[in-house]
Amino acid sequence: MGRSFIIGLLKHGSLEVALGAVVMSMVVASTCGAHVPASVYVSLFLAVWFIYILDRLFDARKIPTSASNPRHHFYQEHFSQLLTVLVMVGCAGLGSLIYLPAPVLLYGVLVMGSCLLYLLWVFLSTRSLPKEVVVAALYTAGISLAPRALANSGVRPIDMLIFIVIFLIAFINLVLFSRQERQYDMADSQESFITRWKPEKIRLLLRAAFTVAVIGIAGLSWFSGSLLPLQGLLMLMLGVLWILYQRMADFETSLTYRLIGDGIFLMPIFLLI
Protein backbone atom coordinates (compact mmCIF):
# COMPACT_ATOMS: atom_id res chain seq x y z
CA MET A 1 0.00 0.00 0.00
CA GLY A 2 1.82 3.05 -1.30
CA ARG A 3 1.69 6.67 -0.27
CA SER A 4 -0.85 7.61 -2.96
CA PHE A 5 -3.19 4.87 -1.75
CA ILE A 6 -2.93 6.04 1.87
CA ILE A 7 -3.67 9.63 0.83
CA GLY A 8 -6.60 8.44 -1.27
CA LEU A 9 -7.91 6.36 1.63
CA LEU A 10 -7.82 9.41 3.89
CA LYS A 11 -9.70 11.43 1.24
CA HIS A 12 -12.26 8.85 0.16
CA GLY A 13 -12.24 6.23 2.91
CA SER A 14 -15.02 7.76 5.05
CA LEU A 15 -12.90 7.62 8.20
CA GLU A 16 -14.43 10.91 9.33
CA VAL A 17 -17.91 9.36 8.98
CA ALA A 18 -16.99 6.46 11.26
CA LEU A 19 -15.42 8.81 13.80
CA GLY A 20 -18.45 11.10 13.62
CA ALA A 21 -20.72 8.15 14.36
CA VAL A 22 -18.75 7.46 17.54
CA VAL A 23 -18.99 11.10 18.64
CA MET A 24 -22.74 11.21 17.98
CA SER A 25 -23.23 7.97 19.90
CA MET A 26 -21.40 9.52 22.85
CA VAL A 27 -23.82 12.45 22.73
CA VAL A 28 -26.81 10.09 22.72
CA ALA A 29 -25.29 8.23 25.68
CA SER A 30 -24.90 11.47 27.62
CA THR A 31 -28.53 12.48 26.98
CA CYS A 32 -29.95 9.20 28.27
CA GLY A 33 -27.47 8.77 31.13
CA ALA A 34 -25.97 5.54 29.85
CA HIS A 35 -22.48 4.31 30.71
CA VAL A 36 -21.09 2.92 27.47
CA PRO A 37 -17.74 1.08 27.61
CA ALA A 38 -15.00 1.98 25.14
CA SER A 39 -15.29 -1.42 23.45
CA VAL A 40 -18.73 -0.43 22.14
CA TYR A 41 -17.35 2.68 20.46
CA VAL A 42 -14.47 0.72 18.94
CA SER A 43 -16.95 -1.80 17.49
CA LEU A 44 -19.18 1.01 16.21
CA PHE A 45 -16.24 2.70 14.47
CA LEU A 46 -15.20 -0.55 12.79
CA ALA A 47 -18.77 -1.44 11.81
CA VAL A 48 -19.50 1.94 10.23
CA TRP A 49 -16.18 1.98 8.39
CA PHE A 50 -16.76 -1.59 7.15
CA ILE A 51 -20.22 -0.74 5.83
CA TYR A 52 -19.01 2.38 4.04
CA ILE A 53 -16.06 0.61 2.38
CA LEU A 54 -18.32 -2.26 1.31
CA ASP A 55 -20.90 0.16 -0.07
CA ARG A 56 -18.26 1.99 -2.11
CA LEU A 57 -16.85 -1.28 -3.45
CA PHE A 58 -20.35 -2.34 -4.53
CA ASP A 59 -20.81 1.01 -6.26
CA ALA A 60 -17.46 0.71 -8.02
CA ARG A 61 -18.23 -2.84 -9.20
CA LYS A 62 -21.63 -1.84 -10.61
CA ILE A 63 -20.20 0.93 -12.81
CA PRO A 64 -19.30 -0.70 -16.15
CA THR A 65 -16.86 2.01 -17.28
CA SER A 66 -14.27 4.22 -15.65
CA ALA A 67 -16.19 6.23 -13.04
CA SER A 68 -16.46 9.99 -13.41
CA ASN A 69 -16.95 10.40 -9.67
CA PRO A 70 -13.46 10.75 -8.08
CA ARG A 71 -14.51 8.64 -5.09
CA HIS A 72 -15.89 5.82 -7.23
CA HIS A 73 -12.84 6.03 -9.48
CA PHE A 74 -10.54 5.58 -6.47
CA TYR A 75 -12.43 2.46 -5.43
CA GLN A 76 -12.24 1.10 -8.97
CA GLU A 77 -8.53 1.80 -9.32
CA HIS A 78 -7.61 0.30 -5.93
CA PHE A 79 -10.31 -2.35 -5.69
CA SER A 80 -8.06 -5.23 -4.55
CA GLN A 81 -6.23 -3.11 -1.98
CA LEU A 82 -9.49 -1.78 -0.56
CA LEU A 83 -10.86 -5.32 -0.45
CA THR A 84 -7.86 -6.22 1.71
CA VAL A 85 -8.61 -3.25 3.99
CA LEU A 86 -12.25 -4.39 4.16
CA VAL A 87 -11.23 -7.89 5.28
CA MET A 88 -8.86 -6.47 7.90
CA VAL A 89 -11.53 -4.11 9.27
CA GLY A 90 -14.09 -6.94 9.23
CA CYS A 91 -11.79 -9.28 11.15
CA ALA A 92 -11.03 -6.57 13.71
CA GLY A 93 -14.76 -5.91 14.05
CA LEU A 94 -15.53 -9.58 14.63
CA GLY A 95 -12.78 -9.75 17.22
CA SER A 96 -14.22 -6.77 19.06
CA LEU A 97 -17.58 -8.49 19.49
CA ILE A 98 -16.35 -10.61 22.40
CA TYR A 99 -15.92 -7.44 24.47
CA LEU A 100 -19.46 -6.16 23.93
CA PRO A 101 -22.17 -6.35 26.62
CA ALA A 102 -24.87 -8.87 25.70
CA PRO A 103 -27.68 -6.32 25.04
CA VAL A 104 -25.42 -4.27 22.77
CA LEU A 105 -24.28 -7.38 20.91
CA LEU A 106 -27.88 -8.34 20.16
CA TYR A 107 -28.86 -4.91 18.85
CA GLY A 108 -25.55 -4.56 17.01
CA VAL A 109 -26.07 -7.80 15.13
CA LEU A 110 -29.58 -6.71 14.15
CA VAL A 111 -28.40 -3.32 12.84
CA MET A 112 -25.36 -4.76 11.08
CA GLY A 113 -27.51 -7.47 9.52
CA SER A 114 -29.98 -4.87 8.30
CA CYS A 115 -27.15 -2.86 6.74
CA LEU A 116 -25.76 -5.90 4.93
CA LEU A 117 -29.20 -6.91 3.66
CA TYR A 118 -29.73 -3.40 2.33
CA LEU A 119 -26.36 -3.42 0.55
CA LEU A 120 -27.11 -6.80 -1.00
CA TRP A 121 -30.44 -5.46 -2.22
CA VAL A 122 -28.73 -2.46 -3.80
CA PHE A 123 -26.09 -4.64 -5.44
CA LEU A 124 -28.34 -7.43 -6.71
CA SER A 125 -31.70 -5.78 -7.36
CA THR A 126 -32.62 -3.69 -10.38
CA ARG A 127 -35.10 -1.72 -8.27
CA SER A 128 -33.57 1.12 -6.26
CA LEU A 129 -34.53 1.99 -2.70
CA PRO A 130 -34.51 5.57 -1.37
CA LYS A 131 -30.88 5.29 -0.29
CA GLU A 132 -30.79 8.55 1.65
CA VAL A 133 -33.79 7.54 3.77
CA VAL A 134 -32.54 4.02 4.48
CA VAL A 135 -28.95 5.05 5.26
CA ALA A 136 -30.09 7.90 7.55
CA ALA A 137 -32.38 5.48 9.42
CA LEU A 138 -29.64 2.85 9.80
CA TYR A 139 -27.15 5.51 10.89
CA THR A 140 -29.55 6.80 13.57
CA ALA A 141 -30.23 3.27 14.77
CA GLY A 142 -26.53 2.43 14.84
CA ILE A 143 -25.52 5.36 17.05
CA SER A 144 -28.60 5.16 19.30
CA LEU A 145 -29.27 1.51 20.09
CA ALA A 146 -26.17 0.81 22.20
CA PRO A 147 -26.73 3.77 24.57
CA ARG A 148 -30.42 2.93 24.81
CA ALA A 149 -29.67 -0.74 25.51
CA LEU A 150 -27.41 0.27 28.42
CA ALA A 151 -29.58 3.08 29.80
CA ASN A 152 -31.31 2.58 33.13
CA SER A 153 -34.48 4.36 32.03
CA GLY A 154 -36.98 3.60 29.30
CA VAL A 155 -37.28 5.57 26.08
CA ARG A 156 -38.72 9.01 26.83
CA PRO A 157 -40.53 11.31 24.37
CA ILE A 158 -37.54 13.67 24.41
CA ASP A 159 -35.30 10.77 23.39
CA MET A 160 -37.54 9.98 20.42
CA LEU A 161 -37.49 13.63 19.36
CA ILE A 162 -33.69 13.70 19.54
CA PHE A 163 -33.53 10.58 17.35
CA ILE A 164 -35.88 12.18 14.82
CA VAL A 165 -33.75 15.34 14.65
CA ILE A 166 -30.56 13.30 14.23
CA PHE A 167 -32.24 11.30 11.46
CA LEU A 168 -33.27 14.51 9.68
CA ILE A 169 -29.77 15.98 9.94
CA ALA A 170 -28.27 12.77 8.53
CA PHE A 171 -30.92 12.68 5.79
CA ILE A 172 -30.32 16.31 4.77
CA ASN A 173 -26.59 15.66 4.75
CA LEU A 174 -27.00 12.68 2.39
CA VAL A 175 -29.42 14.48 0.07
CA LEU A 176 -27.07 17.45 -0.21
CA PHE A 177 -24.21 15.13 -1.13
CA SER A 178 -26.33 13.29 -3.70
CA ARG A 179 -27.52 16.58 -5.12
CA GLN A 180 -23.97 17.90 -5.37
CA GLU A 181 -22.80 14.73 -7.15
CA ARG A 182 -25.90 14.33 -9.31
CA GLN A 183 -24.00 14.86 -12.56
CA TYR A 184 -21.48 12.17 -11.59
CA ASP A 185 -24.21 9.68 -10.67
CA MET A 186 -26.05 10.28 -13.92
CA ALA A 187 -22.83 9.82 -15.92
CA ASP A 188 -22.07 6.60 -14.02
CA SER A 189 -25.67 5.30 -14.34
CA GLN A 190 -26.16 5.42 -10.57
CA GLU A 191 -29.93 5.69 -10.25
CA SER A 192 -31.68 7.24 -7.25
CA PHE A 193 -34.62 9.52 -6.61
CA ILE A 194 -32.12 12.40 -6.72
CA THR A 195 -31.30 11.61 -10.36
CA ARG A 196 -34.96 11.04 -11.23
CA TRP A 197 -36.55 14.03 -9.51
CA LYS A 198 -36.47 17.53 -10.89
CA PRO A 199 -34.23 20.00 -8.99
CA GLU A 200 -37.28 22.01 -7.88
CA LYS A 201 -38.76 18.96 -6.18
CA ILE A 202 -35.49 18.19 -4.41
CA ARG A 203 -35.29 21.79 -3.15
CA LEU A 204 -38.83 21.51 -1.79
CA LEU A 205 -37.93 18.26 0.00
CA LEU A 206 -34.83 19.81 1.55
CA ARG A 207 -36.68 22.90 2.74
CA ALA A 208 -39.36 20.70 4.32
CA ALA A 209 -36.71 18.60 6.09
CA PHE A 210 -34.95 21.74 7.37
CA THR A 211 -38.25 23.14 8.65
CA VAL A 212 -39.24 19.95 10.48
CA ALA A 213 -35.74 19.67 11.99
CA VAL A 214 -35.88 23.26 13.34
CA ILE A 215 -39.33 22.60 14.83
CA GLY A 216 -38.00 19.39 16.39
CA ILE A 217 -35.00 21.16 17.94
CA ALA A 218 -37.25 23.90 19.33
CA GLY A 219 -39.62 21.22 20.65
CA LEU A 220 -36.92 19.80 22.93
CA SER A 221 -37.57 22.74 25.26
CA TRP A 222 -41.20 21.69 25.62
CA PHE A 223 -40.16 18.32 27.05
CA SER A 224 -37.25 19.56 29.17
CA GLY A 225 -38.78 22.84 30.34
CA SER A 226 -35.64 24.79 29.49
CA LEU A 227 -33.07 25.36 26.77
CA LEU A 228 -30.52 22.58 26.43
CA PRO A 229 -26.88 22.76 25.27
CA LEU A 230 -27.82 19.95 22.89
CA GLN A 231 -30.31 22.27 21.17
CA GLY A 232 -27.60 24.79 20.38
CA LEU A 233 -25.36 22.03 19.05
CA LEU A 234 -28.02 20.52 16.82
CA MET A 235 -28.98 23.97 15.54
CA LEU A 236 -25.33 24.69 14.76
CA MET A 237 -25.04 21.43 12.81
CA LEU A 238 -28.21 22.24 10.93
CA GLY A 239 -26.98 25.78 10.29
CA VAL A 240 -23.81 24.52 8.61
CA LEU A 241 -25.91 22.29 6.36
CA TRP A 242 -28.14 25.26 5.54
CA ILE A 243 -25.11 27.31 4.51
CA LEU A 244 -23.92 24.44 2.32
CA TYR A 245 -27.39 24.24 0.79
CA GLN A 246 -27.43 27.97 0.05
CA ARG A 247 -23.83 28.20 -1.23
CA MET A 248 -23.71 24.95 -3.15
CA ALA A 249 -22.40 26.56 -6.34
CA ASP A 250 -19.38 28.00 -4.52
CA PHE A 251 -17.77 24.60 -4.09
CA GLU A 252 -15.68 23.51 -7.02
CA THR A 253 -15.30 19.91 -5.86
CA SER A 254 -17.55 17.56 -3.94
CA LEU A 255 -14.55 16.62 -1.78
CA THR A 256 -14.52 19.99 0.01
CA TYR A 257 -18.29 19.79 0.30
CA ARG A 258 -18.05 16.34 1.88
CA LEU A 259 -15.35 17.33 4.33
CA ILE A 260 -17.55 20.13 5.68
CA GLY A 261 -20.75 18.09 5.57
CA ASP A 262 -19.27 15.08 7.35
CA GLY A 263 -17.37 17.37 9.71
CA ILE A 264 -20.59 18.52 11.37
CA PHE A 265 -20.87 15.13 13.08
CA LEU A 266 -17.59 15.86 14.86
CA MET A 267 -18.95 19.12 16.33
CA PRO A 268 -20.48 17.36 19.37
CA ILE A 269 -16.92 16.91 20.68
CA PHE A 270 -17.31 20.41 22.15
CA LEU A 271 -20.39 19.25 24.06
CA LEU A 272 -18.49 16.28 25.49
CA ILE A 273 -15.43 18.22 26.69
Side-chain angles (χ1 to χ4, degrees):
M1 297 182 182
R3 181 181 177 183
S4 61
F5 173 76
I6 299 299
I7 293 174
L9 187 63
L10 292 175
K11 286 183 178 179
H12 305 293
S14 300
L15 281 164
E16 70 281 0
V17 178
L19 183 58
V22 171
V23 173
M24 290 300 295
S25 187
M26 289 180 175
V27 170
V28 173
S30 67
T31 61
C32 60
H35 174 69
V36 180
S39 60
V40 174
Y41 295 126
V42 171
S43 294
L44 176 62
F45 177 88
L46 293 170
V48 172
W49 197 24
F50 179 89
I51 288 295
Y52 267 77
I53 294 175
L54 183 60
D55 180 42
R56 303 291 184 252
L57 289 175
F58 277 171
D59 285 342
R61 184 60 73 182
K62 288 184 70 174
I63 300 173
T65 59
S66 180
S68 58
N69 188 318
R71 187 178 70 258
H72 290 159
H73 182 74
F74 171 76
Y75 277 80
Q76 285 181 331
E77 187 177 10
H78 300 280
F79 190 91
S80 60
Q81 292 171 293
L82 287 161
L83 190 59
T84 301
V85 173
L86 180 72
V87 172
M88 293 171 61
V89 173
C91 290
L94 290 174
S96 70
L97 295 181
I98 62 175
Y99 300 101
L100 295 182
V104 176
L105 179 60
L106 174 61
Y107 286 121
V109 169
L110 290 175
V111 174
M112 191 69 173
S114 300
C115 291
L116 293 175
L117 286 175
Y118 164 70
L119 291 177
L120 284 174
W121 172 276
V122 171
F123 185 68
L124 299 175
S125 177
T126 56
R127 299 178 59 186
S128 62
L129 294 174
K131 181 176 182 177
E132 290 75 12
V133 175
V134 176
V135 173
L138 291 173
Y139 175 86
T140 305
I143 67 172
S144 304
L145 287 181
R148 283 308 326 164
L150 297 174
N152 295 323
S153 61
V155 180
R156 303 164 297 173
I158 192 172
D159 296 325
M160 293 302 301
L161 188 54
I162 291 172
F163 297 158
I164 291 171
V165 171
I166 292 175
F167 165 80
L168 287 170
I169 290 175
F171 173 71
I172 292 169
N173 175 273
L174 291 165
V175 173
L176 287 175
F177 285 169
S178 297
R179 186 186 179 205
Q180 178 75 355
E181 300 177 4
R182 187 172 183 266
Q183 71 278 13
Y184 291 134
D185 290 338
M186 294 180 70
D188 295 338
S189 301
Q190 297 288 295
E191 186 179 354
S192 69
F193 78 88
I194 300 297
T195 59
R196 293 193 302 267
W197 285 14
K198 293 181 179 180
E200 295 79 11
K201 193 173 182 179
I202 299 172
R203 281 197 295 269
L204 181 61
L205 173 66
L206 281 169
R207 288 178 180 272
F210 274 114
T211 301
V212 175
V214 169
I215 293 173
I217 294 171
L220 294 175
S221 293
W222 190 82
F223 290 105
S224 66
S226 61
L227 291 175
L228 302 172
L230 180 61
Q231 286 176 283
L233 171 68
L234 293 173
M235 189 61 74
L236 178 61
M237 295 170 67
L238 197 65
V240 173
L241 291 178
W242 178 257
I243 293 172
L244 288 178
Y245 168 67
Q246 292 291 336
R247 307 300 297 268
M248 193 172 180
D250 294 343
F251 292 87
E252 296 181 359
T253 65
S254 60
L255 177 59
T256 304
Y257 202 81
R258 280 186 168 273
L259 287 175
I260 297 174
D262 288 334
I264 68 168
F265 295 102
L266 298 175
M267 287 180 179
I269 289 177
F270 298 107
L271 192 65
L272 300 170
I273 294 176

